[in-house]
Amino acid sequence: MRMWIGITAFVLGISLTAVGVVDQIRNSPLERIEITKTLDKSAPYLLIPNRTLTSYPGNVQVSASGTKDVFLATVRESDAIAWLTPSPHLELRLEVNQESQSVSLAEIERPGEGNLIDPRGYDIWRTSVASKDFDSIKVPAGNEAAVLIASTGDDPAPDKIVVTWTLPKGAIPLSPLPPIGLAIMLLGGVIVLWDAYLKNRGARPGRGLRGPKRPRPKRFKTLVQRRPVSGRRAQRLGMVAALMSVGLLAGCTPQYESPLMSPSPSAAPDTLTPVMTKVQLVRILDEIAAAISLADTELDRETVEVRTAGAALAMRRAEYNLLRRTEADDKPQPIQSGPIKLFLPSATDAWPRSVMVVTGEEQLQLLVLRQESARENYVLVHYSNLLPGTTFPEVGAETVGANIVKSDSKFLAFEPQKLPEAVGDLINNAGDSAWATLVDPENKYVMDLAAVQQNLTETLSNANLSFDHRLGDNKINMLATADGGALAAIYMIDTYTIIPKEPGDAVAITGDEALLLGTGGSSTGIETRYGSMLLFHIPSTGSDQPVRLLGATQQLLTTVNLGTR
């Protein structure tokens, strides 16, 4: 009997182990999901929205082929829609068919009026690739990432698309059958060996003669006789018990649930996300700095316009004009694309939009990049040197961004349009200024200009001097700070007017002003204009802190003769 029990246990163990191994293989998690789509329709652009790309967890890669030129770009979905809005395009959505247990990509037509352009070279793309016949791109996680696919804009987009999700390696559901089966096999083997050992031990010759057997007591017979269970019947019963055990234990095995038929796309964010990523910023800054460096080398007024605008363009051109008149081989202060010390993108889905960056090593620069529309590139509109000892206010993380603050905001303690007037009055009147309690006068820029004006007044005693300071550009770029205030980048025009007091008198000038005037003085009067790009921190309403000047850069713009008196 022990032999049959051992054999049955051994067979049961083998069965459990085999079923467990097969079940483990069948329940192995998917490593990747790949969906291939051959387009039925044709369009110049193809958009794969964030909802499709986030249908499954893990890393996403998109491949495209079928045309001579292939272009793929990752982009924030709202930005892609704004870029595509004038143009017809297709959108790919994930479609789940529960009846056939399959998933596919469905085409949705988005009509447009035309405006077909080559998508290559635009700043709005976070990352992009372009090649012949075939290419693929990895999709960065987060921030509403979508993918745009095109050829040249005029030609149809690639018609064969492959989207691949490399799924994360999660916990593998382990079947209990293999270890249980092995344990039962071991137990069965031990029973068989033990039975064999006992039989061999009983077959050994005994020592000496055995006495007569004791007579057995008589058993009372019952009316119903029970038949002894034969070996074969015991074997059959054991096998039935083994099969039932296998079935019951197999039902206890945890089942792996494939995500294929139950996609779970990411929900749209409740708040606005940053307009730019760090990778995107590095590329754009390098391109802007390279374009300006090329213009600086040749002092080219036209080339510099490609990636500058507003105050930055006006001051750069004025510097070129002055440097052309000098014999020295001087160059403008370079725009530093790195290292990046601070990156503050705006969080918006509208235009125009701006980004503030602090770069440099010893002399830190504050750069303001501005984009007017989805199909225009960022341009440099402001650059200023941070003043010595500047304590920068706390701002939002680059992955969060900052709200754009309007110039008429009621949440600021000071109207930004009045800052040139306030700073000008501080320069003209120093501590006697009525603005001294609202705007901090203790900074190097204000003190240096106040000293220059005082020196001119004392030197040109035979002339009447006036100093005027006003806003040079109504486009004030402002981003919110963590304390509820704002960083404000402002362009201010300083005008110095010098007129002789008496007819026949003359005023003399030197330096760069004389170079632009073309002479060393005038008997009728001189007007000199300077441009100043200033960076302020404006506190929020109710704060007892004054407005602080954080950065400043000044450039001589023009010097003209006021004419005959």
Side-chain angles (χ1 to χ4, degrees), residues 4-5 24 75 95 110 162 169 206 209-210 221 262-263 317 321 330 358 390 437 503 515 528 543 547:
W4 288 115
I5 293 175
Q24 190 71 50
V75 57
E95 191 174 70
R110 302 297 185 189
V162 180
K169 294 182 179 180
L209 298 175
R210 294 185 180 180
K221 294 183 179 180
S262 55
R317 282 180 166 175
N321 186 38
D330 293 335
V358 176
T390 295
T437 57
L515 280 175
T528 303
S543 173
V547 176

Side-chain angles (χ1 to χ4, degrees), residues 351-434:
W351 279 269
R353 54 182 52 170
S354 56
V355 172
M356 292 187 178
V357 191
V358 176
T359 63
E361 287 285 4
E362 296 181 0
Q363 176 58 67
L364 299 180
Q365 282 183 331
L366 184 283
L367 310 177
V368 179
L369 312 181
R370 184 180 176 96
Q371 187 184 39
E372 296 296 334
S373 69
R375 290 194 172 187
E376 294 183 65
N377 281 340
Y378 282 90
V379 292
L380 180 69
V381 296
H382 176 103
Y383 57 92
S384 57
N385 295 331
L386 294 188
L387 300 177
T390 295
T391 302
F392 214 81
E394 186 177 349
V395 297
E398 62 190 50
T399 54
V400 176
N403 292 329
I404 293 177
V405 181
K406 296 183 177 180
S407 56
D408 59 353
S409 173
K410 303 301 182 184
F411 298 100
L412 298 179
F414 199 94
E415 296 180 39
Q417 298 91 332
K418 293 184 178 180
L419 281 172
E421 178 186 352
V423 172
D425 196 65
L426 287 172
I427 295 171
N428 295 344
N429 301 304
D432 297 331
S433 171

Side-chain angles (χ1 to χ4, degrees), residues 442-459:
E442 300 298 325
N443 64 76
K444 191 176 185 301
Y445 174 79
V446 169
M447 291 187 290
D448 286 350
L449 287 192
V452 169
Q453 291 187 180
Q454 182 65 29
N455 182 61
L456 286 175
T457 302
E458 295 173 356
T459 303

Side-chain angles (χ1 to χ4, degrees), residues 41-53:
K41 303 170 185 177
S42 176
Y45 308 110
L46 176 65
L47 177 66
I48 306 179
N50 180 258
R51 184 175 180 82
T52 300
L53 295 173

